[in-house]
Amino acid sequence: MTRQIYRDPGAGAIEFGKQYVIGHKEFDLLSMSRLLDGDLHDPTDKRVKRCDYCGYFWRDDSLRNTRKTCSEECKRGIRTLQRRQQRADQELLNPNPKPKKRTLMDDYVYWLEYPYWGDEYSMLKVGWKYEVPHKASTIDYIEAKNELYGEGNRVKPKRVIDYHGDNRDDF
């Protein structure tokens, strides 16, 4: 007989176990082992089965009685184990994957105190996206629009400032 591996019980297993625990004054370790062995429930009930992930008994309430896990957490755990197994199998079948394709950002050394580009071509190809070169007239145009619209892209209200040419208004 194979030994059953138990993980944290899912919601379905907890609900199933509650019906045997709640209301009984003496539920000791012997009763717990009988519950885990499947001696407390009706063995002819086809809807009571073991969860494929956590290993506890639970009652399948699905229409066709085809679920394999007692809860969504256990279903997620099964899929995680399957993905882990698939990755391990893939690593065994293909131990040396293709080398990573070199990108232009690989020439940028950012982790030092003074970051630098290792290749001028990469610097020009990548850097233009962040530091766009403009002519002086274009920069003046952008500044004028920023003054007119401000940060929120709305025209600032025009304010009339009374000024008579002398310091009459200063008090």
Side-chain angles (χ1 to χ4, degrees), residues 7 22 43 52-53 56 61 64 71-72 79 86 88 93 96 104 115 119 123-124 148-149:
R7 293 185 175 88
I22 294 177
D52 283 352
Y53 181 71
Y56 293 96
D61 294 331
R64 291 180 177 78
S71 65
E72 289 297 320
R79 288 187 178 166
Q86 288 171 355
L93 295 175
N96 296 325
L104 294 174
D119 184 23
M123 177 184 70
L124 293 174
L148 177 65
Y149 290 108

Side-chain angles (χ1 to χ4, degrees), residues 26-37:
E26 293 187 19
F27 190 80
D28 54 357
L29 218 47
L30 181 63
S31 301
M32 184 66 168
S33 68
R34 289 181 57 210
L35 177 65
L36 293 177
D37 291 339

Side-chain angles (χ1 to χ4, degrees), residues 6 8 22 31 55 58 65 77 94 102-103 110 122 125 149 160 165:
Y6 293 104
D8 290 335
I22 294 177
S31 301
W58 63 288
N65 195 22
N94 187 12
R102 186 162 174 77
T103 64
Y110 61 88
S122 300
K125 284 294 195 182
Y149 290 108
V160 178

Side-chain angles (χ1 to χ4, degrees), residues 19-71:
Q19 67 184 350
Y20 295 104
V21 175
I22 294 177
H24 296 82
K25 291 183 180 178
E26 293 187 19
F27 190 80
D28 54 357
L29 218 47
L30 181 63
S31 301
M32 184 66 168
S33 68
R34 289 181 57 210
L35 177 65
L36 293 177
D37 291 339
D39 296 337
L40 294 181
H41 66 271
D42 184 17
T44 60
D45 189 1
K46 299 296 181 188
R47 292 206 169 260
V48 176
K49 47 178 124 171
R50 279 197 187 268
C51 177
D52 283 352
Y53 181 71
C54 66
Y56 293 96
F57 282 100
W58 63 288
R59 181 175 307 282
D60 187 1
D61 294 331
S62 65
L63 182 66
R64 291 180 177 78
N65 195 22
T66 56
R67 288 179 51 192
K68 302 291 182 191
T69 57
C70 64
S71 65

Side-chain angles (χ1 to χ4, degrees), residues 131-139 142:
E131 299 174 5
V132 181
H134 291 296
K135 295 184 285 185
S137 61
T138 308
I139 292 174
I142 292 171

